[in-house]
């Protein structure tokens, strides 16, 4: 390990906080995002925290941009030890309201962006016997109402990570998947959906969370060091996942009740 890490979605939010957590250990960081101003700010903070590195604009929907990023890591760092597939967008809306374009947009970034990131960097990770950290969501495990396209994309990230855990054990590349619940972040900046009420509801949940993106980054760092595969940073998330594993019907019933409440609230506002 030569302490070289690549992070997508590093221009803000959780990606930035993960960068700062690893920077405090003196790592070299390859920071990628579509937000170049955000990347410049992150690099400044990374250097102040004790790390160093470079930034590169990268849209994870474009595989050629990811392979160019991998090439830059090889040229500047001589390889890579850890990649964090963090870039993601938010969306919501009941299934009947979501367009196929909404589905394509969500899957292309939140799922296929992770697939392409893993694919582009695998040759370098095989050389370094490195690690993949994929950022999913508790939505991957709990499938809340009115967010089917987001749920499916994030569940795909979990399934991909489970598949890679087996496949890549053959080449000594370790895999982790992170499933945070709501936390204080700027995820709403990317929100897309047919219902303004949905964006407002998600915003309230994000703002009311006692857990910050920095807290999540600390927890990820801790659990990666312990070689934990599925990283669940929220205690409530860990409890809910335990319930679902033992009594899935209880969770399905709860989600149906939540959907009814959401619809009732919307009718009252109409």
């Amino acid at each position: 390990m030569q302490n070289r890490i690549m992070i997508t979605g590093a221009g803000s939010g959780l990606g930035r906080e993960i960068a700062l957590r690893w920077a405090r250990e003196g790592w070299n960081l390859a920071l990628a995002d579509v937000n170049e101003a955000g990347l410049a700010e992150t690099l400044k903070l990374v250097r102040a925290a004790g790390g160093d590195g470079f930034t590169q604009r990268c849209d994870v929907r474009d595989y050629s941009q990811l392979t160019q990023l991998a090439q830059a890591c090889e040229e500047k760092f001589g390889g890579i030890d850890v990649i964090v597939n963090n870039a993601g967008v938010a969306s919501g809306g009941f299934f009947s309201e979501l367009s196929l374009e909404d589905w394509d947009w969500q899957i292309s970034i939140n799922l296929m962006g992770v697939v392409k990131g893993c694919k582009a960097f695998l040759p370098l990770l095989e050389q370094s016997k490195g690690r993949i950290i994929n950022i999913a969501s508790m939505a991957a495990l709990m499938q809340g109402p009115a967010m089917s396209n987001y749920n499916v994309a994030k569940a795909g990230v979990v399934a991909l990570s489970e598949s890679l855990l087996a496949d890549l054990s053959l080449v000594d590349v370790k895999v982790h998947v992170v499933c945070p619940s709501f936390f204080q972040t700027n995820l709403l900046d990317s929100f897309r959906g047919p219902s303004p009420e949905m964006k407002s509801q998600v915003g309230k949940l994000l703002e009311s969370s006692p857990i910050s993106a920095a807290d999540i980054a600390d927890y990820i760092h801790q659990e990666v060091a312990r070689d934990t595969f599925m990283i669940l940073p929220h205690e409530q998330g860990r409890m809910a996942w335990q319930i679902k594993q033992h009594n899935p019907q209880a969770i399905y019933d709860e989600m149906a009740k939540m959907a009814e409440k959401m619809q009732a609230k919307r009718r009252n506002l109409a």
Side-chain angles (χ1 to χ4, degrees):
M1 290 282 280
Q2 295 181 43
N3 294 0
R4 304 160 299 187
I5 186 170
M6 184 285 295
I7 305 166
T8 64
S12 63
L14 181 58
R16 174 177 287 173
E17 294 301 337
I18 292 171
L20 293 177
R21 182 63 190 84
W22 263 259
R24 292 203 291 276
E25 309 287 325
W27 282 54
N28 281 312
L29 296 98
L31 305 169
D33 205 307
V34 291
N35 174 3
E36 292 181 89
L39 280 180
E41 179 63 22
T42 300
L43 183 58
K44 197 163 86 175
L45 293 167
V46 155
R47 286 174 172 156
D52 202 0
F54 71 93
T55 66
Q56 190 158 315
R57 189 186 187 282
C58 181
D59 184 335
V60 297
R61 291 174 292 186
D62 185 342
Y63 184 62
S64 67
Q65 292 186 33
L66 283 158
T67 56
Q68 285 164 19
L69 180 61
Q71 191 176 353
C73 290
E74 190 165 26
E75 289 167 2
K76 295 172 191 288
F77 296 160
I80 205 75
D81 301 293
V82 179
I83 68 165
V84 185
N85 290 304
N86 166 74
V89 291
S91 63
F94 283 97
F95 182 75
S96 58
E97 303 167 325
L98 293 170
S99 67
L100 290 179
E101 288 74 22
D102 291 330
W103 277 89
D104 287 343
W105 176 75
Q106 178 60 235
I107 299 290
S108 68
I109 299 170
N110 281 7
L111 176 54
M112 289 309 299
V114 178
V115 172
K116 290 171 184 176
C118 292
K119 192 78 175 166
F121 278 86
L122 184 56
L124 294 182
L125 291 168
E126 287 183 355
Q127 287 172 24
S128 66
K129 311 296 184 192
R131 295 178 187 268
I132 293 170
I133 304 171
N134 292 330
I135 307 299
S137 166
M138 277 308 293
L141 306 178
M142 306 309 292
Q143 287 86 42
M147 46 198 293
S148 56
N149 59 346
Y150 185 80
N151 293 342
V152 168
K154 291 298 189 177
V157 173
V158 171
L160 170 68
S161 303
E162 290 175 336
S163 303
L164 294 178
L165 181 66
D167 284 8
L168 301 188
S169 66
L170 303 173
V171 290
D172 293 327
V173 172
K174 293 186 175 174
V175 180
H176 311 267
V177 65
V178 185
C179 296
S181 305
F182 292 105
F183 61 96
Q184 297 158 26
T185 183
N186 64 334
L187 193 61
L188 272 198
D189 292 352
S190 67
F191 187 92
R192 183 186 291 190
S195 163
E197 297 88 19
M198 176 66 63
K199 183 172 183 177
S200 171
Q201 285 177 358
V202 172
K204 284 173 187 169
L205 286 165
L206 293 173
E207 287 167 16
S208 65
S209 172
I211 296 180
S212 68
D215 296 330
I216 304 282
D218 277 338
Y219 191 84
I220 293 169
H221 188 274
Q222 167 193 302
E223 294 304 305
V224 165
R226 291 177 177 165
D227 280 337
T228 304
F229 167 66
M230 184 176 283
I231 299 172
L232 307 178
H234 292 72
E235 187 178 355
Q236 281 184 314
R238 294 192 289 274
M239 287 166 59
W241 180 227
Q242 278 190 331
I243 292 168
K244 187 172 183 184
Q245 286 175 299
H246 291 103
N247 184 8
Q249 193 61 48
I251 298 296
Y252 301 147
D253 292 345
E254 186 60 32
M255 294 303 171
K257 283 180 199 165
M258 280 176 62
E260 284 174 23
K261 283 180 189 171
M262 290 168 74
Q263 282 286 36
K265 196 169 186 180
R266 286 172 68 171
R267 279 196 299 270
N268 290 337
L269 289 169

